[in-house]
Structures are given as C-alpha cells and as structure tokens.
Amino acid sequence: MAMTDKTQLGKGLWAIANDLRGSMNPDDFRDYMFSFLFLRYLSDNYKNAAKKELGSDYPQTEKSPLLVWYNNNEEDIPAFEKQMRRKTHYIIKPAYMWDTICELARKQDKELLNILEKGFKYIENESFDSTFQGLFSEINLSSEKLGKDYAARNSKLCTIITTISQKISELSTSSDMLGDAYEYLIGQFAAGSGKKAGEFYTPQQISTVLSEIVTLDSQDPTTGKKKRIENVLDFACGSGSLLLNVRKQLGEHGIGKIYGQEKNITTYNLARMNMLLHGIKDSEFEIHHGDSLLNDWNILNEMNPSKKMNFDAVVANPPFSYRWSPSEAMGEDFRFKDYGLAPKSAADFAFLLHGFHFLSQSGTMAIILPHGALFRGGSEAKIRTKLLEDGNIDTIIGLPANLFYSTGIPVCIIVLKKCKKPDDILFIDASGKGNYEKGKNQNFLTDENVKKIVSTYQYRKVEKRYSRVVTLDEIKDNEYNLNISRYISTAVPEPEIDLEVVHKDLVDLEKEITEATKKHNIFLKELGLPELPK
C-alpha cells in the first residue's frame, strides 16, 4: 500500500475518533480507540492463521466461524491452541474476538460490557506465553465518562464499536499498513495533548534522524548501514515509535531483540500494543515499566561487568531538564561514579550516562537533549569534559525551535560512541532558514532536511554556515563549551561596497537629473508656467 493510502487510512481513523469521542477528553478516548484497534488486529491475525491451520475444516460462515468450530470440536481445542500458540505466539478465545464483540454491539447486547472486560483480562493474563498483565489497565469500562450507569456505558460502547467496525470493515489488517495508520493516530493524539505529548511521542522526522544515525556503521558510517544489530535500547521509550523506526531502517530481521523502558503506565501499555500491532512477536521485544534513573530493571542491574547488558544501538528522547532527587549513594552508582551526578535541577546528563553505560563497544547512541546541556556549568561541565576527553562525543546536531508538541525550545541531538575513530567533533547546525519548514502550529523537517542531516553526519561533510569539524584543542580553548554558535557562524556577511563605483553612479545620476530638468523646463516655459529650480 502506498504511503498516501496509509496516510488516508490514518486520517480516516482520526475522523472516526473525533466523531465518536463527543465531549470526552482526547487523552481518555485515545485508550479506547487504540484498544479496539488492537483487539481487531489480534483477532483478524489469529483468524487468518486459524483458517490456514484448519484448512477445509474451517467453517464457511460469515458470523464468528471460529466460534462455530470451537462449539463443534471441544476435544480438539487443546491441541489446536497449542499449535496456534506456536504459530502466532498467542491464542484468543472466539468469544472475545473482534467479530464476536462487534456482533454483540450490533445487537445492543446487554452483556457486551461484561464480555469485553473478561476478554481484556484474558488477553492480559492468558493469551501470550509472556504475561501482558495490565495491558488494558488504563481502559476503565466502569468510567462515568462512558455513562452514568451500566446500561448507559454498555449502550455507548455498542455505538463506538459498531461505528468503528463499519468504518474499518474493508481495511486491510496487515501489520505494515495498520501499524503505520496506528502511528499516524498516535501523532494526532499527541498534537492534541500539547505538553503531555512529550511523555510519549517523538515526531517521525526527528525519530528518523536518530534511527538512521544509529543503524549506520559505528566506526565508518560511510560504508552504510549495518546488516544487523543484536539489540536496541530506548530507556524512555514512550509509545515505542522510536524503537519501531530503528527496526524499520534494518527490516524485520535486522534486529535480534528490542528493549524499551517507560515510567508512565498509560504510555507503557501503549508501547506494548504498538509493538504487537506492528507484527513483532512477544519473544522479540521486552518493554519494562519502571524508572530509568533509579535503574529498577533487573536485567540492567547486573554488577558483574562480564554479565552486563550491552546494546548495539541506544536511542532516547527523555524528558527535558527533568527535576530529580539523587541520593548520596547514587554517586557510587556504576553509571555515574566515573563522571559525577547531574544536578537536581536537570537530569539530562543522568539520562545520557544511563544509556551510555549500556552502549556496546561497537555501538552508537543518539539522544535528544535541550541546548542547555551543551554549555551549562557546574557538575554538567565536568561530565561533558570527561566525555570529550575520553573521545566519546562524536557529533552535535542543533535542531530548529518548535519541532516538538511538548516544548517550543530548540533542542539538540548528541551522538556518542565508545569506538570513535576521529579525534574531532562534528557540529551540524540544522536550525537555520532553509533547513526546516514552518507549519501553522509547529515547525517540521522535510524529507530533504532529514537526508541532509544524515548525509552530513555519514560523510562528515563541511558546509559553510551549516556544518564544521572542530578539533578537541579548539573545544578545550572554549573550556569544553559545546554551544554550536561558538563553532558555526550563521551570520550572512554584508556585501562589500566599492566606493568608486558608488561615486560614479551618483555622478551619472546627477547628470541625468540635470538633463531631465532642462527638458521639463522647456515644456513649462511654453505653457507659461514657472520653471523648476536648476
């Protein structure tokens, strides 16, 4: 399906969301919309696999064919589900599948809400070998936002589900197509969430810049993309869009396993749904609900260096200048002890050091931070100095203001490596005129803008007022300040003025004025009018 078709699908789904939510807050309705689309995807994917598995035994009926088979073949169900779990990595009972739920909604069945609740719990606890507990925890089917009592809520759900069912009945259920439409919806809900969107969404163009950078060969980017990376980490993964973009760069078989961590429970659930909806098996990703600054994920808390998790690619868009409360004991944390602690007022370098600690020797890390991280003093200057002296900062990329839903400030991308070859630092200033497009409410990078940034990084290109390679000695002379304007001047020089040419032009102009005045006075004299002064 062409990208325009996918965009049209996304727009169609967004229109459905706007029509259905009524007076409900977009953030609240988002969870219902995403959950029903997710249920539809799981159901149709499972139904198609079951049709192949059962072959001619698959009932030829339009309404709930798998439910018919289950009712007629009770003894064969365990063996069938065992085989289906091997093929699809999950099972879903016909009573909880989308077509069954839609039929209940169409009939305005009074048990719809109860069955839906049971279905969600079943998917959370029994569908997958990996437990997806709490996957639907943010969907409150007892909320008064749906209705004041059970009957009103049940009626509202019947309307929502029936409308969604009718609108998307002809749509493809391929993970590629529906996944892209899902991403479009996430972006639209993010746009409507304002500052809240910073919790879960990185605009796709910026996501592509990071993803392309970390998938290029780390030691010599000019050789192109890596054929495969064993694993990728986003320790502030939000909805998982950035991780999915990394996977997109290398193809579905280009990454061994995807790892993400997210503190916000709603966003954490959204990320897990997003992974599954994009056709990623539950064995191919692991998303942890927890706080990266506290490092409460067991797999990342290994004290033995030989058993430490290492990632070939690390990407992140953490909360900007997040206030945190590090304890004294944290100063001895293996992530921070060689660098020092980031200040309480801004955890930017705490996030950076967390990700950098788990970066493999041959990996690349790209992180989005506010510009202040490039030049602020105190403990941040010490951390920045050590990273520079150790040769770990590879590239600094300045981005335009107002690219994010969560903030209007300009931000930067810092690229770090442990295998860095050049002993200099590449600076790219992509914030100037012509390097982005202005939107009505928000600026954005075009495909050409993105290509230019990535190409400049890949080939370490130097371009006046855009990019420059700077030696560490020059950075030392600037006291390890990485403010981009110190190294790249975007000022356009005034054109030189040739005074002799200007003088000649003025003399010629004076002659023309004198001649014109003489001619004009002749006409005035003939008319008997007073002449102009010479």
Side-chain angles (χ1 to χ4, degrees):
M1 177 173 277
M3 185 56 67
T4 52
D5 294 332
K6 293 174 182 178
T7 302
Q8 284 303 115
L9 170 58
K11 288 180 178 178
L13 292 174
W14 178 241
I16 294 171
N18 276 329
D19 288 343
L20 288 175
R21 72 178 180 87
S23 60
M24 192 182 292
N25 184 292
D27 286 345
D28 293 326
F29 188 77
R30 176 192 67 207
D31 300 324
Y32 294 98
M33 186 74 177
F34 284 159
S35 297
F36 294 143
L37 288 176
F38 179 61
L39 178 60
R40 192 248 186 174
Y41 167 75
L42 286 183
S43 300
D44 285 5
N45 187 54
Y46 189 77
K47 183 170 66 176
N48 291 335
K51 192 181 293 186
K52 289 181 181 178
E53 180 64 25
L54 294 175
S56 59
D57 291 334
Y58 189 79
Q60 300 301 309
T61 176
E62 290 185 9
K63 294 180 181 179
S64 306
L66 205 53
L67 184 61
V68 173
W69 187 88
Y70 264 63
N71 290 336
N72 295 334
N73 299 273
E74 289 186 21
E75 293 181 1
D76 297 327
I77 290 174
F80 168 75
E81 290 187 344
K82 184 178 180 180
Q83 184 66 7
M84 288 298 291
R85 197 179 285 278
R86 285 177 56 199
K87 290 195 171 183
T88 62
H89 279 244
Y90 67 93
I91 56 174
I92 180 168
K93 297 290 186 186
Y96 307 136
M97 290 177 68
W98 177 249
D99 53 2
T100 307
I101 296 295
C102 288
E103 183 60 17
L104 292 174
R106 188 186 68 80
K107 294 178 177 178
Q108 293 281 311
D109 195 294
K110 294 179 181 179
E111 285 300 305
L112 171 72
L113 196 153
N114 286 332
I115 293 172
L116 201 54
E117 279 187 329
K118 290 176 184 176
F120 284 162
K121 286 179 181 177
Y122 177 85
I123 293 170
E124 288 179 335
N125 299 316
E126 298 181 52
S127 280
F128 297 85
D129 284 334
S130 306
T131 304
F132 280 84
Q133 288 182 350
L135 189 63
F136 299 99
S137 62
E138 294 303 293
I139 302 153
N140 184 4
L141 295 176
S142 299
S143 170
E144 287 196 359
K145 293 173 183 177
L146 282 174
K148 290 187 176 181
D149 54 29
Y150 178 94
R153 292 192 290 274
N154 195 75
S155 177
K156 176 75 171 178
L157 284 171
C158 285
T159 301
I160 291 173
I161 291 169
T162 300
T163 305
I164 291 176
S165 174
Q166 290 171 347
K167 296 279 188 180
I168 67 176
S169 60
E170 301 302 319
L171 301 179
S172 166
T173 56
S174 74
S175 59
D176 175 58
M177 191 274 299
L178 197 55
D180 281 353
Y182 203 75
E183 286 292 314
Y184 179 89
L185 270 185
I186 290 174
Q188 292 302 303
F189 276 112
S193 298
K195 291 186 177 181
K196 293 181 182 177
E199 298 175 1
F200 67 88
Y201 189 69
T202 303
Q204 282 296 308
Q205 333 94 288
I206 305 170
S207 175
T208 299
V209 173
L210 271 71
S211 302
E212 290 207 31
I213 284 174
V214 300
T215 51
L216 288 168
D217 185 86
S218 302
Q219 291 197 7
D220 188 2
T222 62
T223 60
K225 291 188 187 296
K226 296 178 178 179
K227 292 181 179 178
R228 179 180 170 84
I229 60 177
E230 287 307 311
N231 47 34
V232 57
L233 170 69
D234 182 347
F235 53 82
C237 71
S239 63
S241 299
L242 187 45
L243 286 168
L244 289 167
N245 205 323
V246 175
R247 180 178 183 261
K248 184 179 180 181
Q249 300 302 323
L250 296 175
E252 59 180 295
H253 302 299
I255 297 178
K257 193 165 183 178
I258 291 171
Y259 292 84
Q261 182 162 0
E262 176 53 42
K263 185 178 179 181
N264 180 288
I265 183 66
T266 303
T267 315
Y268 159 68
N269 288 329
L270 184 58
R272 293 191 292 171
M273 285 187 196
N274 207 4
M275 293 290 149
L276 293 166
L277 195 138
H278 277 82
I280 304 177
K281 297 181 177 66
D282 60 317
S283 59
E284 296 173 338
F285 74 90
E286 196 167 338
I287 308 290
H288 175 69
H289 177 225
D291 190 333
S292 292
L293 293 177
L294 298 177
N295 200 26
D296 53 11
W297 195 357
N298 289 337
I299 66 169
L300 300 184
N301 228 328
E302 178 56 59
M303 300 296 290
N304 187 338
S306 64
K307 295 181 180 179
K308 178 172 77 83
M309 284 284 290
N310 290 303
F311 297 89
D312 294 331
V314 178
V315 290
N317 176 23
F320 301 148
S321 299
Y322 179 76
R323 297 189 70 86
W324 69 315
S325 302
S327 62
E328 285 187 26
M330 254 189 185
E332 294 302 311
D333 188 292
F334 51 71
R335 299 168 295 166
F336 310 132
K337 66 179 181 180
D338 293 335
Y339 300 89
L341 289 172
K344 293 180 180 180
S345 58
D348 300 315
F349 273 105
F351 283 119
L352 183 149
L353 291 173
H354 173 82
F356 185 68
H357 179 78
F358 298 106
L359 182 66
S360 71
Q361 290 299 319
S362 59
T364 303
M365 174 177 173
I367 182 172
I368 302 171
L369 293 179
H371 266 271
L374 300 177
F375 55 79
R376 290 190 297 244
S379 57
E380 290 181 294
K382 292 178 182 177
I383 296 170
R384 198 167 55 240
T385 298
K386 179 163 176 55
L387 288 167
L388 285 164
E389 289 185 337
D390 289 350
N392 297 136
I393 295 180
D394 180 87
T395 302
I396 305 292
I397 303 169
L399 296 175
N402 204 30
L403 286 179
F404 289 81
Y405 297 114
S406 54
T407 179
I409 65 170
V411 299
C412 65
I413 298 171
I414 301 180
V415 181
L416 302 105
K417 298 176 184 178
K418 294 180 179 178
C419 61
K420 181 169 166 290
K421 271 190 175 179
D423 59 0
D424 48 39
I425 290 91
L426 173 65
F427 285 82
I428 300 173
D429 188 350
S431 65
K433 188 177 180 181
N435 297 316
Y436 67 96
E437 291 290 328
K438 285 193 172 184
K440 185 177 180 181
N441 299 314
Q442 188 179 4
N443 298 329
F444 63 94
L445 301 176
T446 65
D447 290 345
E448 288 304 313
N449 299 148
V450 170
K451 285 177 185 176
K452 184 175 182 180
I453 293 171
V454 175
S455 177
T456 302
Y457 161 80
Q458 183 175 6
Y459 298 103
R460 252 174 147 69
K461 295 177 184 177
V462 173
E463 181 182 325
K464 202 169 185 179
R465 291 189 290 277
Y466 185 78
S467 60
R468 184 176 167 230
V469 173
V470 180
T471 65
L472 185 59
D473 286 338
E474 184 177 345
I475 290 172
K476 283 181 182 177
D477 291 341
N478 279 288
E479 299 179 336
Y480 298 96
N481 186 316
L482 295 178
N483 198 356
I484 298 171
S485 61
R486 290 201 175 205
Y487 306 101
I488 300 177
S489 174
T490 56
V492 178
E494 294 288 336
E496 290 186 8
I497 298 174
D498 190 327
L499 290 178
E500 288 186 11
V501 174
V502 172
H503 177 71
K504 183 180 180 302
D505 289 343
L506 287 173
V507 170
D508 292 343
L509 188 60
E510 186 68 33
K511 286 179 180 178
E512 289 178 15
I513 293 172
T514 301
E515 290 299 319
T517 303
K518 284 180 182 179
K519 288 181 180 180
H520 193 64
N521 280 338
I522 292 171
F523 296 131
L524 291 174
K525 189 175 180 180
E526 290 177 354
L527 294 169
L529 297 172
E531 297 180 18
L532 294 173
K534 296 177 183 179

